[in-house]
Amino acid sequence: MKPAIFLFFITSALAVDFDREIRPLLQERCIECHGEKKQKGELRLDAKAFAFKGGHDGPAIVAGKIDKSPLYQRITNEDEKERMPPKGDPLTPSQIKTIQTWIESGAAWPENATDKAALADKRLSHWAWQPLTKFSTPQSIDSIIQAKLAENKLQPSPEADRRTLIRRLTFDLHGLPPTPAEVEAFIQDQDPKAYEKLIDRLLASPRCGERYARHWLDIAHYADTHGFERDQRRDNAWRYRDYVINALNADKPYDQFLREQIAGDVLSPNDPQAIAATGFLAAGPWDFVGQVETKSDVLRRSARTLDLDDMVTQVMTAACGVTVNCARCHDHKLDPISQREYYSLWSVFAGLKRGDRDLNTSESARLAVERAKTQTRLRQVTTELAKLTGEGLDLADMIGGGNGLGSGMKNAGLHIGNGTVVKDKLGYHRDIKANRLQKPEWGNVNAPKFVQWLFVPDGRQEVNVAAKTPVKSVPPTSAHSWDAIRNGPLNAQVSTTIDGTDFSKEGHSILGLHANSAVTFDLKEIRKASGYAKMRLTAMVGFGASKQAADSLADFTVFVGSDQKFQRLKMRKDDSARIDIKISADAPTLTLIATDGGDGGIGNDLLFLGDAKLTLDIESQPLSAADKARVQALRAEEKQLSAKLNAKVAADKVYAVIADKPPAIQILKRGDPESPAEESIPPGTLSLLRDLKPALGTLDTPEGERRKALATWITDPRNPLTRRVIVNRLWHWHFGQGIVNTPSDFGLGGGKPSHPELLDYLAEELLKSGWSLKHLHKLILISDVYRQSSAFNQQASALDAQNRLLWRQNPRRIEAEATRDFVLAISGKLNLQQTGGPGFTDFTYTESYAPVYQHITADTPELWRRSIYRFVVRSTPQKFLTTLDCPDPANLTPARMTTTTALQSLALFNNDFILRQSRYFAERLQKESGTVVAKQIHFAYALAFSREPTSEEQQLATKFILANDLFAFCRSLFNANEFVYVD
């Protein structure tokens, strides 16, 4: 017999029958932990395709190699904690030998019907992924609800009375109470369409957009600060908030509303509102330290991971109600979403960073051209002046130990803490005593004595820069500093250019002044050495930070003696200023101070002066009459041009997303940014919707086209999720719970719809109406089910305790912000005239490394605006609102939590805001109702509860007011259950 044939017979004899020996063994001992329902280590052993794919550690079975097959290694492991299976007895030697033989002989696994069936993902049959139901007969909200009630032998509740309806409607649509006059007018209106007219009036009011913007901003976890350790302000974020209010008031089609928030800057690049809409993508928290300040690439990658996850999660949960973030570390455990699909969504947003961007690009371009012309002319003027008046003495050269004429050491600096000369770049100082005057320690007795002092200002105490010569008006600082004061660029300085001039080039100089640092020059010594008397200080001041530090702020101040001669506060990276200061012949000192701009950090506060020089004043120079006249004209023009640049009008900006070329995105093994796979993932989305293709482009697809493709996929009429999710949200906002009671999770882990037909009927109505949300609002509000009484029915409750079948309307707690607005409304202090624009700041703000926000009592008209216009701080919640269940803006909040606590009662009784508003409420009652107690009580009940008091309430209230006072009565009304609930 030939050797090859002999080997074939031996192998055949040793081969294991998989279906008879291996499959039963896997099912008996492995499937419990590695089957369809449970996959430890992401490994399934119930079907061929999954078994050979392996888990998160790679393939478990390698044909022909037991030493490379983790399955074999685990069943033979002598360590009981590592050996498989973990439960019961270990496999017998015979069973282990069978598996060994099977693997060594090629691990043949004949596929059968079970294997093929396992490949069919049963999760794809989930109701939410299916196309919308097509109804064969006309439907309505009430017909669907009533059919379900009848099926469960339940009856709807009767219609609520008109007082209840107008209060319910007004709070639902405006988040405010109706006025007593509005209540009485509605009650007396005999028009059969009075209720419909009331809905139309409320929907048409700008108060409606303010109300529903609050709901949407919960979903977007919007706030006006970054959050995290350095909770810096976002002073231009409010434009996104106003976009939402205006879009909802205008009834912007919902599909357009979504598209603009995802890709408005791509779809309509010349529309400021479309650009403001992209604030949605940047609305969540952002780690400034991890993204900008850290020197660690590992921390930067980790922070960027959180950034992209936040964008992807927000878009997909808000628009489609799917929890894609569960697939960050592995395939989704519940929904048919792969890890690859999750990272394909990362690829959509990979080119985005958060930051302030121009709202009107054409206006920004016009301003840039105008500024460039001014800068060019200013350079021409200063160049001619330098030729006429001489080059002067260079302050940067003096910092380098020179005489101002080029003898100083380039790139040398003076240590702010000990005054020594340093050549190496220094890092961060937090231990230098603030306001302590430090003499330079030149180490050279022949060094000029032009530099008198160095110090780190804190802006809180005066600093005597010369004998009994304190300087004031220094902005408060963190009193931390960086590097040294240098004759050259600072450590980490990226840019050396101001207004088109590169001051690192030959013929120019740089004086580096990182915040928070200050230097005082001794003018007496300078005069002694130079012979100058009257002088001028000329320089350009600007930033040397990177583009990524666009939000970084810094201040620059100049004192001559103790007189402040120049100050520019909160300079941005793209700001610059021309300095031209006259210095009298008897001025003792010149002090330059850079401070941190009050933004809580100094990491990017790289201020520097270009060509900082002391020159002879024109009156002291031996010029001809013609030259003097020319110098005077040039000085006047220079002053005019400098003023124009210093007072530049910046284009409007919005805190949103800034696009760049997308970097390659890889799947991160177990979500670890330090363990990327090799393959780059093109932009894409989810494959669970059978009518839509998940591919959104290639690796070469431009950034904007990626977002535009995703926006198109989300708003495609064939996408059933988008419409189902928003109509469910509307239902939730009107009934206190949605048809699906998990508004942002329509997956297998979410709730099941109580009325699936109703969900699809409303979704179809949305499309028919041209995606009009106001149409849906009215459809819901005019229905019988909405108008039901909220009265409790014991028998119905026994069958449906959660009221999922809607046999009554749900009584609901008024949310925190609406409660605050309600208090202001009935005290007569609510400021409805001031709408839009920057949010009101009900706090004091102290600049520090981590900014300090301390809330104050709102007791001025500016602070009595609607709560939607409040400047929201992530790190420091407003305690009164938080006590009343205002959510943490760091979190996505599709459904607000409602609690009942003793602290809430105390807040509504003892909080300083409530005490002051109780006083204003009492004053209003006295002013508008007179001194008659009965009238005061009637008016109070009309304002607070939209009804008259009962006779018993009238008697008790009268006794209470006479025994206490009107203030105490008003205070007690704010603490009533009826005040914070809507029936």
Side-chain angles (χ1 to χ4, degrees):
M1 184 179 293
K2 293 183 179 180
I5 297 174
F6 178 70
L7 182 60
F8 169 77
F9 278 110
I10 292 176
T11 305
S12 299
L14 293 175
V16 174
D17 187 323
F18 177 82
D19 283 318
R20 187 171 60 83
E21 299 178 79
I22 301 298
R23 193 188 293 273
L25 185 57
L26 293 176
Q27 290 177 342
E28 178 185 350
R29 303 306 306 274
C30 303
I31 302 308
E32 181 181 350
C33 296
H34 302 286
E36 179 183 0
K37 295 182 180 179
K38 186 178 182 181
Q39 302 96 40
K40 283 192 174 181
E42 300 178 33
L43 175 63
R44 284 183 67 172
L45 294 171
D46 59 329
K48 180 178 181 179
F50 301 125
F52 283 95
K53 176 185 176 184
H56 60 53
D57 290 327
I61 303 164
V62 179
K65 299 178 181 180
I66 58 170
D67 59 326
K68 298 291 180 64
S69 298
L71 173 67
Y72 181 78
Q73 304 301 319
R74 296 299 291 274
I75 65 175
T76 58
N77 199 307
E78 294 182 0
D79 185 344
E80 292 184 3
K81 294 181 179 179
E82 294 294 323
R83 188 175 59 225
M84 293 291 140
K87 298 179 182 178
D89 296 330
L91 297 185
T92 67
S94 174
Q95 290 171 327
I96 292 173
K97 183 63 177 176
T98 300
I99 291 177
Q100 176 184 347
T101 305
W102 173 64
I103 293 174
E104 288 178 333
S105 63
W109 185 318
E111 280 192 291
N112 63 12
T114 302
D115 292 292
K116 294 175 182 177
L119 293 176
D121 195 337
K122 297 176 183 177
R123 299 175 299 173
L124 289 172
S125 62
H126 181 60
W127 67 268
W129 327 137
Q130 309 313 309
L132 296 174
T133 303
K134 301 296 182 183
F135 296 102
S136 57
T137 58
Q139 300 288 326
S140 70
I141 292 175
D142 291 322
S143 68
I144 294 170
I145 294 290
Q146 288 168 9
K148 197 83 165 185
L149 288 171
E151 181 183 328
N152 288 273
K153 297 182 173 56
L154 289 170
Q155 293 293 323
S157 297
E159 183 173 314
D161 63 76
R162 282 201 167 190
R163 287 185 188 273
T164 299
L165 286 177
I166 188 172
R167 190 171 193 261
R168 180 189 298 170
L169 270 177
T170 310
F171 270 108
D172 258 10
L173 290 179
H174 289 183
L176 293 169
T179 66
E182 289 170 339
V183 173
E184 294 308 315
F186 178 58
I187 290 173
Q188 300 302 324
D189 194 340
Q190 299 300 312
D191 189 333
K193 292 190 175 182
Y195 181 76
E196 183 178 354
K197 288 193 302 182
L198 174 61
I199 293 172
D200 290 339
R201 176 174 66 80
L202 293 173
L203 284 172
S205 167
R207 306 286 84 82
C208 188
E210 293 169 340
R211 169 64 163 165
Y212 279 86
R214 180 64 268 163
H215 290 317
W216 185 258
L217 295 180
D218 278 359
I219 298 167
H221 61 346
Y222 168 89
D224 297 282
T225 63
H226 289 332
F228 287 94
E229 177 185 4
R230 295 280 305 282
D231 192 21
Q232 294 178 311
R233 298 168 64 118
R234 297 175 176 175
D235 288 322
N236 293 310
W238 61 268
R239 286 193 167 89
Y240 168 67
R241 174 250 289 155
D242 279 6
Y243 162 83
V244 175
I245 294 171
N246 295 333
L248 294 176
N249 272 329
D251 198 21
K252 181 169 287 189
Y254 181 66
D255 59 337
Q256 182 182 351
F257 180 64
L258 284 181
R259 285 196 301 270
E260 287 179 346
Q261 291 181 84
I262 297 168
D265 56 333
V266 183
L267 296 166
S268 304
N270 297 317
D271 180 359
Q273 284 303 300
I275 291 173
T278 63
F280 172 71
L281 298 175
W286 186 70
D287 184 0
F288 177 81
V289 173
Q291 295 274 1
V292 176
E293 284 196 333
T294 184
K295 304 299 180 184
S296 167
D297 290 337
V298 173
L299 292 179
R300 186 172 286 107
R301 285 190 290 269
S302 177
R304 181 59 173 160
T305 296
L306 295 176
D307 195 26
L308 285 171
D309 179 75
D310 184 79
M311 287 188 198
V312 167
T313 300
Q314 177 166 306
V315 170
M316 297 306 289
T317 56
C320 297
V322 286
T323 55
V324 291
N325 53 312
C326 294
R328 176 176 158 186
C329 303
H330 46 68
D331 289 351
H332 202 297
K333 294 295 185 183
L334 298 175
D335 297 336
I337 301 172
S338 68
Q339 192 181 17
R340 182 184 180 86
E341 288 175 336
Y342 169 81
Y343 285 100
S344 73
L345 284 164
W346 264 34
S347 191
V348 173
F349 299 103
L352 296 181
K353 298 291 177 66
R354 306 178 195 226
D356 285 319
R357 63 177 293 173
D358 291 332
L359 198 66
N360 187 327
T361 52
S362 59
E363 174 65 7
S364 302
R366 186 190 67 78
L367 289 173
V369 169
E370 186 177 322
R371 181 175 176 80
K373 290 179 181 178
T374 304
Q375 291 168 344
T376 299
R377 178 56 190 156
L378 182 58
R379 285 195 294 272
Q380 294 169 345
V381 169
T382 55
T383 299
E384 187 176 352
L385 276 171
K387 290 178 180 177
L388 286 169
T389 61
E391 293 300 322
L393 304 174
D394 194 304
L395 297 182
D397 184 69
M398 295 179 189
I399 292 293
N403 58 11
L405 299 172
S407 61
M409 289 184 291
K410 279 286 187 182
N411 298 316
L414 293 173
H415 192 292
I416 315 170
N418 56 35
T420 58
V421 177
V422 294
K423 295 181 181 178
D424 296 333
K425 301 295 185 182
L426 303 180
Y428 181 54
H429 312 295
R430 68 164 68 233
D431 54 355
I432 297 175
K433 186 176 180 180
N435 306 316
R436 184 177 70 86
L437 299 178
Q438 172 64 49
K439 289 183 178 180
E441 300 293 341
W442 296 111
N444 179 0
V445 294
N446 296 318
K449 299 177 181 178
F450 299 159
V451 180
Q452 187 174 45
W453 306 112
L454 314 163
F455 60 95
V456 174
D458 70 1
R460 295 170 178 81
Q461 298 179 19
E462 294 180 347
V463 184
N464 289 300
V465 297
K468 298 181 181 180
T469 311
V471 295
K472 302 177 182 179
S473 304
V474 179
T477 79
S478 65
H480 299 167
S481 60
W482 188 287
D483 197 24
I485 300 176
R486 289 195 178 274
N487 175 21
L490 294 157
N491 184 12
Q493 183 167 333
V494 176
S495 172
T496 55
T497 299
I498 302 175
D499 285 347
T501 299
D502 186 347
F503 289 96
S504 67
K505 300 295 185 183
E506 188 70 28
H508 296 286
S509 68
I510 289 175
L511 196 169
L513 270 175
H514 201 300
N516 296 292
S517 59
V519 57
T520 297
F521 293 92
D522 190 329
L523 294 178
K524 292 179 181 178
E525 290 291 331
I526 292 173
R527 289 193 191 93
K528 240 190 259 184
S530 66
Y532 286 12
K534 293 180 180 179
M535 292 181 280
R536 301 184 79 92
L537 169 66
T538 59
M540 290 295 297
V541 61
F543 258 101
S546 68
K547 291 180 179 179
Q548 286 72 32
D551 292 334
S552 189
L553 303 175
D555 313 311
F556 186 72
T557 309
V558 178
F559 289 93
V560 175
S562 60
D563 296 330
Q564 180 186 299
K565 295 294 186 180
F566 176 90
Q567 187 171 64
R568 173 65 74 84
L569 299 177
K570 299 188 183 301
M571 291 178 66
R572 295 175 57 86
K573 180 192 172 296
D574 55 355
D575 279 349
S576 62
R578 173 78 182 173
I579 298 171
D580 186 355
I581 299 171
K582 283 187 177 183
I583 300 176
S584 64
D586 59 352
T589 57
L590 170 67
T591 302
L592 312 177
I593 302 177
T595 47
D596 57 29
D599 57 358
I602 66 168
N604 294 284
D605 293 346
L606 298 147
L607 281 182
F608 73 99
L609 279 74
D611 291 347
K613 294 185 178 182
L614 292 171
T615 59
L616 270 173
D617 190 62
I618 182 174
E619 297 172 8
S620 307
Q621 297 182 36
L623 300 175
S624 67
D627 284 345
K628 283 188 176 184
R630 180 61 179 160
V631 168
Q632 286 178 336
L634 290 170
R635 291 283 191 208
E637 186 179 2
E638 180 188 39
K639 185 176 181 179
Q640 182 183 25
L641 293 169
S642 296
K644 187 175 182 180
L645 287 174
N646 291 349
K648 68 172 185 175
V649 178
D652 290 339
K653 293 182 181 293
V654 60
Y655 187 84
V657 286
I658 301 168
D660 202 349
K661 183 179 179 181
I665 291 295
Q666 290 89 27
I667 293 175
L668 302 183
K669 298 173 184 177
R670 302 190 188 183
D672 180 5
E674 301 309 303
S675 301
E678 292 183 7
E679 181 189 3
S680 295
I681 306 298
T685 182
L686 310 181
S687 61
L688 48 74
L689 302 179
R690 69 188 187 203
D691 290 337
L692 295 173
K693 295 179 180 179
L696 299 179
T698 68
L699 294 174
D700 298 322
T701 299
E703 187 284 323
E705 293 302 310
R706 300 179 182 205
R707 283 187 288 133
K708 189 165 78 169
L710 178 62
T712 300
W713 183 89
I714 286 174
T715 57
D716 191 303
R718 294 170 297 171
N719 184 334
L721 284 170
T722 304
R723 283 184 282 147
R724 281 178 176 144
V725 166
I726 188 57
V727 300
N728 185 70
R729 292 193 194 282
L730 294 181
W731 194 269
H732 167 84
W733 294 329
H734 287 304
F735 287 91
Q737 62 178 336
I739 299 167
V740 178
N741 58 12
T742 51
S744 284
D745 185 3
F746 273 36
L748 280 84
K752 294 181 179 179
S754 58
H755 300 79
E757 303 88 352
L758 178 58
L759 196 65
D760 285 7
Y761 164 72
L762 292 172
E764 278 299 306
E765 279 293 320
L766 181 64
L767 188 63
K768 289 178 183 177
S769 67
W771 297 81
S772 167
L773 295 183
K774 286 192 176 182
H775 171 77
L776 262 292
H777 278 299
K778 184 172 181 179
L779 201 64
I780 293 169
L781 297 172
I782 209 163
S783 67
D784 292 340
V785 64
Y786 178 83
R787 287 186 281 176
Q788 289 181 110
S789 164
S790 63
F792 183 74
N793 182 308
Q794 182 65 49
Q795 186 177 359
S797 178
L799 293 171
D800 180 22
Q802 300 300 316
N803 193 30
R804 297 289 290 142
L805 302 178
L806 292 168
W807 47 268
R808 68 164 178 161
Q809 176 59 275
N810 292 306
R812 280 166 287 146
R813 265 279 291 277
I814 301 171
E815 308 98 302
E817 296 93 330
T819 300
R820 175 189 176 276
D821 293 352
F822 187 9
V823 169
L824 289 168
I826 66 174
S827 73
K829 297 301 182 183
L830 183 62
N831 178 356
L832 293 177
Q833 288 70 47
Q834 200 171 349
T835 61
F840 65 86
T841 53
D842 55 348
F843 52 80
T844 59
Y845 179 65
T846 304
E847 299 298 345
S848 183
Y849 175 78
V852 178
Y853 302 89
Q854 291 184 311
H855 283 97
I856 59 175
T857 301
D859 204 34
T860 61
E862 160 64 18
L863 304 185
W864 291 334
R865 298 169 68 193
R866 288 205 70 175
S867 298
I868 186 67
Y869 298 115
R870 185 171 66 92
F871 189 104
V872 180
V873 180
R874 291 189 203 275
S875 62
T876 312
Q878 213 269 13
K879 290 183 179 179
F880 176 71
L881 295 177
T882 301
T883 301
L884 299 178
D885 297 326
C886 186
D888 183 347
N891 302 323
L892 302 165
T893 308
R896 288 199 175 195
M897 180 174 63
T898 301
T899 65
T900 302
T901 68
L903 284 176
Q904 292 168 351
S905 181
L906 290 170
L908 288 168
F909 199 63
N910 291 327
N911 182 271
D912 189 40
F913 169 72
I914 290 292
L915 294 176
R916 298 189 192 203
Q917 293 304 315
S918 297
R919 179 68 62 195
Y920 296 138
F921 187 11
E923 291 172 358
R924 180 183 183 184
L925 295 179
Q926 291 170 331
K927 180 180 179 181
E928 298 185 33
S929 299
T931 58
V932 178
V933 171
K935 289 184 178 179
Q936 292 173 348
I937 295 169
H938 270 260
F939 190 39
Y941 268 74
L943 288 169
F945 308 137
S946 301
R947 65 174 177 84
E948 296 179 351
T950 64
S951 58
E952 182 181 9
E953 288 170 334
Q954 182 76 40
Q955 293 172 6
L956 291 172
T958 302
K959 289 180 181 178
F960 185 84
I961 292 170
L962 294 176
N964 299 280
D965 58 14
L966 193 56
F967 161 75
F969 171 67
C970 292
R971 185 182 175 197
S972 66
L973 291 186
F974 285 147
N975 208 244
N977 274 353
E978 189 175 354
F979 180 77
V980 293
Y981 275 88
V982 171
D983 287 329

